[in-house]
Amino acid sequence: MDLDTLYREERPRALATLIRLLGDFDLAEDGLQEAFAAALEQWPAAGVPRNPRAWLVSTARHKAIDRVRRDKSLAAKQAEIAYLGEVAVPAPGLAEQPFTDDLMRLIFTCCHPALALEAQVALTLKTLCGLSVDEIARAFLVPPSTMAQRLVRAKAKIRGARIPYEVPGSDQLAERLDGVLRVVYLVFNEGYAATSGDALVRRELCNEAIRLGRLLRTLFPDASEVAGLLALTLLHDSRRAARLDERGDLVTLEEQDRSRWDRGQIAEGQALAEAALRRGGAGFYALQAAIAALHAQAVRAGETDWPQIAALYALLLRLHPSPVVALNHAAAVAMGERLDRGLRLIEQLEAGGELQSYHLLPAAKADILRRLGRRAEAAAAYERALELVTHEAERRYLERRLREVRSTP
Amino acid sequence: MKYLLLIYEKEADWAAIPEAEKGKIFQEYMDYSKRIRKSGNYIGGEALQPVSTATTVRVKNGKTLTTDGPFAETREQLGGFFLVDAKDLDEAIALAAGIPGSRTGSIEVRPIMPTPPVE
């Protein structure tokens, strides 16, 4: 294993333990960076120590203490925290559990509900994933100074308001774990849903969300929603190569070249989705994963099990009622049962008025009308969707459909 | 009769004041609190940490909802306060969620600034 990969693997647990030992995110991050720089110098000649993580933690801790001694303003800050030097460093060769406990503390602190959601996301990407401020800023299309400020503020709140570095008790755990999953889901969607901005950074976000999902799965092997979220991200991500054409335009699920889907990821995602459903208590993520698995299973679009998908959406709608889920349900009903029944459901949603500015409502309606051969009405609905759409690739897709329904006799 | 004296000011303005000037104002606060201790008016008082450390707590259908930031609605008015000691923010949030007003209004949880004791 090369040193960068080794560092990447060891970093989250080493950092989590250091934050507990030092009581400060910045000191821990800077110390760990210095320790890794020292490792890059020493290890190639002297060899990798028997327990590289313990070596990194203890070296980083010494570097941090040196820094505090050199810097009086840091010392003042440290006096407030009064952690330094009181807690024992895990000994080399020590069991995995203390590090894992620290990692869980770090995850729950980064995703604490007293922090703004955007701050939770930024902090997770910075500390758990090790992304730089610039990378996170590029991914969220904000200036680096704004992102840096967001992180400074979040860390100041953790310190100032004393957000605990703890795994929540059993009465809080399920709810807090939901919060963690929401952050991972948001990271994935940010990387997956938008195609504007830096493509490499967006790809990185999807990879990080999957990596976080795998990590959570090792920490919470019995939680079906954890398995569900990992399955969902793997299954969506498996279509990455087929989602955009060579011009960067969005290719709909129906029109994607399914031979370009990542079969390995699909197999892993399907197994996880099935495990999540079998375990029971399938919620928001596990149900969506099951739907994604059904799509992934169809070799051709025409073979999609739409009735089953419609049934899963009905279940999802009952558990998590939302207009967007209702719209997906209506579209699945149109494909699986009858177009006119789906159309009626969409018209009911339209009348409800909750999705008036959501372009996918008229777009879905237009699609059904097009399949029904009602071209004039389809054209009007595509026009309405075009008034609302903001995403360029989606706009081009809708324009193409509009031309089709206008030109075909 | 007891009165609660609430201090409102612009945090940004305060942050922009040079350190020496801040020290002078801090001394003024110390002098003021000494004065009202001597006169027998003083009951208690604390400086709060900046609003960036605030958390707003509401309880809806038995579920505690927390939001980052201070209470920002103008439809509700300050109706009372509790000063509590808690081991961390989680305990403070739990205490806030126990206040009856958390079901009908909002509870702003603000950490107190650690200050040196006054002799």
Side-chain angles (χ1 to χ4, degrees):
Chain A
M1 199 191 291
D2 67 280
L3 289 187
D4 276 318
T5 313
L6 181 82
Y7 183 58
R8 175 157 213 146
E9 300 255 305
E10 296 298 339
R11 192 184 166 284
R13 281 176 174 80
L15 183 65
T17 294
L18 274 167
I19 291 173
R20 178 174 58 76
L21 293 174
L22 298 167
D24 187 89
F25 277 66
D26 295 328
L27 263 181
E29 281 179 75
D30 294 347
L32 189 55
Q33 210 149 22
E34 281 184 62
F36 182 56
L40 282 178
E41 262 175 44
Q42 295 171 27
W43 293 0
V48 177
R50 196 164 52 88
N51 187 338
R53 189 189 304 157
W55 188 95
L56 283 169
V57 168
S58 116
T59 308
R61 183 165 168 274
H62 287 301
K63 302 259 181 210
I65 291 172
D66 285 349
R67 183 185 286 241
V68 171
R69 288 197 181 122
R70 279 198 309 270
D71 189 328
K72 283 227 175 74
S73 65
L74 271 180
K77 185 166 108 181
Q78 211 49 45
E80 249 173 61
I81 302 158
Y83 279 138
L84 201 65
E86 286 177 15
V87 207
V89 183
L94 200 79
E96 187 67 17
Q97 197 55 39
F99 288 110
T100 300
D101 291 348
D102 283 339
L103 183 61
M104 284 181 25
R105 290 187 181 103
L106 179 57
I107 290 170
F108 281 109
T109 303
C110 288
C111 301
H112 196 280
L115 297 171
L117 192 54
E118 54 185 20
Q120 295 176 33
V121 169
L123 208 53
T124 299
L125 289 171
K126 180 73 170 45
T127 57
L128 283 166
C129 305
L131 262 57
S132 71
V133 172
D134 278 3
E135 285 172 319
I136 306 169
R138 272 208 302 282
F140 288 87
L141 305 174
V142 301
S145 57
T146 305
M147 188 52 76
Q149 192 49 41
R150 194 176 289 173
L151 284 160
V152 166
R153 195 181 163 279
K155 289 172 189 173
K157 179 160 185 182
I158 290 173
R159 205 169 33 235
R162 197 176 292 175
I163 288 178
Y165 199 58
E166 261 176 33
V167 177
S170 53
D171 57 326
Q172 293 276 316
L173 191 64
E175 205 179 320
R176 293 285 306 279
L177 186 56
D178 275 352
V180 174
L181 295 179
R182 186 164 56 233
V183 167
V184 177
Y185 185 57
L186 220 137
V187 169
F188 183 81
N189 277 343
E190 196 60 34
Y192 190 76
T195 47
S196 63
D198 193 319
L200 273 177
V201 173
R202 296 201 167 276
R203 165 156 218 152
E204 179 77 348
L205 286 186
C206 290
N207 292 342
E208 291 303 340
I210 290 172
R211 215 191 304 274
L212 285 168
R214 289 191 198 285
L215 185 67
L216 289 172
R217 175 110 176 108
T218 62
L219 298 175
F220 303 97
D222 297 329
S224 52
E225 281 291 84
V226 171
L229 179 57
L230 178 57
L232 179 63
T233 53
L234 283 166
L235 288 164
H236 277 309
D237 193 69
S238 72
R239 301 183 206 134
R240 193 206 305 251
R243 272 179 86 226
L244 299 177
D245 64 16
E246 50 294 338
R247 285 197 312 157
D249 277 6
L250 211 61
V251 184
T252 59
L253 196 51
E254 191 180 1
E255 295 178 319
Q256 283 175 19
D257 174 0
R258 295 180 180 226
S259 69
R260 299 179 68 192
W261 288 0
D262 185 324
R263 289 287 144 197
Q265 261 181 240
I266 288 175
E268 191 188 355
Q270 274 175 330
L272 281 163
E274 276 163 31
L277 285 186
R278 255 203 317 275
R279 196 175 287 283
F284 187 63
Y285 303 113
L287 286 172
Q288 288 186 81
I291 291 166
L294 285 171
H295 280 299
Q297 206 171 286
V299 184
R300 279 185 298 277
E303 287 169 22
T304 309
D305 188 351
W306 284 108
Q308 184 68 19
I309 290 175
L312 285 167
Y313 269 123
L315 199 55
L316 189 59
L317 192 56
R318 211 162 54 225
L319 283 175
H320 292 269
S322 93
V324 173
V325 174
L327 178 60
N328 282 316
H329 174 242
V333 167
M335 296 300 287
E337 297 169 37
R338 287 179 47 187
L339 287 168
D340 57 342
R341 241 202 96 214
L343 184 62
R344 261 206 313 282
L345 288 172
I346 288 186
E347 281 164 350
Q348 280 167 22
L349 268 171
E350 214 172 13
E354 279 177 286
L355 292 177
Q356 353 184 319
S357 54
Y358 190 50
H359 68 281
L360 289 179
L361 177 80
K365 186 179 173 187
D367 248 22
I368 298 175
L369 289 165
R370 174 174 60 83
R371 287 173 206 276
L372 284 167
R374 289 156 65 172
R375 294 178 201 289
E377 289 163 276
Y382 280 125
E383 278 164 8
R384 174 77 190 127
L386 277 163
E387 285 167 25
L388 298 170
V389 75
T390 53
H391 197 292
E392 264 319 298
E394 284 184 84
R395 172 183 302 282
R396 287 195 292 269
Y397 167 78
L398 290 168
E399 279 167 351
R400 175 165 69 81
R401 284 297 191 199
L402 179 59
R403 280 196 301 276
E404 280 171 22
V405 290
R406 274 183 180 155
S407 67
T408 2
Chain B
M1 192 70 191
K2 287 173 183 168
Y3 295 91
L4 184 65
L5 313 181
L6 299 165
I7 306 163
Y8 288 90
E9 53 193 353
K10 282 193 185 150
E11 270 181 18
D13 291 357
W14 172 252
I17 297 172
E19 281 307 316
E21 186 70 17
K22 269 186 201 164
K24 239 173 78 190
I25 297 172
F26 184 68
Q27 191 54 51
E28 274 187 62
Y29 267 103
M30 303 285 276
D31 294 345
Y32 172 80
S33 87
K34 244 183 232 171
R35 207 158 64 236
I36 64 169
R37 270 167 209 272
K38 211 171 270 171
S39 66
N41 298 104
Y42 180 88
I43 297 173
E46 300 284 356
L48 301 180
Q49 292 202 43
V51 284
S52 58
T53 60
T55 306
T56 301
V57 178
R58 295 178 188 84
V59 176
K60 292 276 167 295
N61 306 320
K63 223 178 125 159
T64 304
L65 309 172
T66 52
T67 329
D68 176 45
F71 172 69
E73 298 281 337
T74 47
R75 286 174 291 129
E76 291 158 348
Q77 291 77 37
L78 186 63
F81 77 101
F82 281 102
L83 183 65
V84 297
D85 204 352
K87 75 172 165 37
D88 56 33
L89 185 63
D90 282 357
E91 193 184 0
I93 288 171
L95 288 164
I99 297 174
S102 67
R103 299 195 303 268
T104 46
S106 303
I107 313 296
E108 181 177 325
V109 179
R110 285 284 290 279
I112 299 284
M113 190 100 77
T115 41
V118 182
E119 314 81 59

